[in-house]
Amino acid sequence: YFSVPYLSRVDNSMIITVAVPVMDDMRRITAIICADLSAEWLSNNIKDVTVGKTGYAYIINNEGNVLGHKDYNRVLQGSNSQVMVKNNEKLRSLADFEKSILSKTQSEVGYYTFDGITNIASFAIMKSTNWKVIVKAPENEFMGTIQTLRLSMYAIGAVILVIALIITFFVAYRIVKPIQTTVDALQGIAQGEGDLTVRLPLRGNDEV
């Protein structure tokens, strides 16, 4: 069992509880081992996840409550876009996005607008708790990375094309030059006095 953050009765701090059953030889539960952790532990585990320059990850439970966030105050305040949108219509796009993923079992990419910025986001499901880990980044940052990659691919393609053309030119030149020499000699014979003693320089040991 992995609890959502809650207030400790001991010191009123936000904690999470992890519980594991202890079983006997007959697979019957005889005891429970519990460990209390600071609720900030979840946030610390995802705060280093970055996408682009300002993108980050956060965790919500099946009710939409923020359980882990790089801004830990979101956890302490119990942020929930489904509730907050009732008093702040600016959160409508975010609330609709989070509401849509709460019922889904397969990851997918979506978009939402927050503070006038269009974000691209996706999510993964934590198998042990069914919570959603959401990764988001401003669309322009994410697409900027793709645009940079596209330009790099174009540049690499152009360089490869130029190299291929140069190689093709030299290979074709080496093939055509002895043939052209032979044609010139035959034209000299045909247009001259029919001197059949003309000899062609022998280079290499190929078909020509």
Side-chain angles (χ1 to χ4, degrees):
Y1 172 75
F2 209 111
S3 78
V4 298
Y6 65 95
L7 281 176
S8 168
R9 295 182 181 181
V10 178
D11 57 7
N12 283 329
S13 63
M14 290 290 287
I15 62 173
I16 53 179
T17 297
V18 181
V20 179
V22 177
M23 299 182 182
D24 61 16
D25 295 339
M26 302 297 294
R27 301 292 294 173
R28 292 175 300 194
I29 297 177
T30 59
I32 301 290
I33 297 177
C34 295
D36 290 338
L37 307 172
S38 168
E40 196 171 2
W41 179 81
L42 279 174
S43 299
N44 290 336
N45 272 273
I46 61 171
K47 68 180 181 180
D48 292 332
V49 178
T50 58
V51 181
K53 295 180 180 178
T54 60
Y56 58 87
Y58 64 99
I59 302 172
I60 61 174
N61 67 0
N62 296 328
E63 286 72 47
N65 296 318
V66 175
L67 306 182
H69 199 285
K70 72 172 188 175
D71 181 3
Y72 183 57
N73 286 326
R74 298 279 187 92
V75 179
L76 296 177
Q77 295 165 2
S79 295
N80 186 320
S81 64
Q82 312 300 306
V83 176
M84 297 166 64
V85 71
K86 297 176 182 178
N87 298 317
N88 186 355
E89 193 61 27
K90 293 181 179 180
L91 298 175
R92 173 61 58 189
S93 181
L94 172 61
D96 289 344
F97 169 75
E98 291 185 354
K99 183 178 180 180
S100 70
I101 70 172
L102 288 177
S103 59
K104 294 178 179 175
T105 58
Q106 295 293 330
S107 298
E108 61 181 48
V109 176
Y111 296 84
Y112 69 87
T113 302
F114 182 72
D115 282 345
I117 299 174
T118 300
N119 294 278
I120 183 170
S122 186
F123 70 95
I125 300 174
M126 296 174 64
K127 293 183 179 180
S128 58
T129 60
N130 222 29
W131 297 341
K132 304 296 192 299
V133 180
I134 301 172
V135 179
K136 52 81 70 175
E139 183 183 23
N140 60 344
E141 290 184 11
F142 190 79
M143 298 307 292
T145 302
I146 294 178
Q147 184 65 21
T148 300
L149 179 61
R150 181 184 293 126
L151 292 176
S152 297
M153 294 300 294
Y154 286 155
I156 293 172
V159 171
I160 292 175
L161 178 61
V162 170
I163 293 174
L165 289 175
I166 292 174
I167 293 174
T168 301
F169 172 78
F170 281 108
V171 170
Y173 178 77
R174 300 236 357 204
I175 293 174
V176 171
K177 185 177 180 182
I179 296 175
Q180 187 62 49
T181 301
T182 304
V183 170
D184 291 342
L186 293 175
Q187 285 180 342
I189 294 172
Q191 296 173 3
E193 300 178 356
D195 183 5
L196 299 179
T197 63
V198 173
R199 298 187 64 83
L200 299 177
L202 182 62
R203 295 192 180 94
N205 190 29
D206 55 16
E207 293 81 355
V208 177

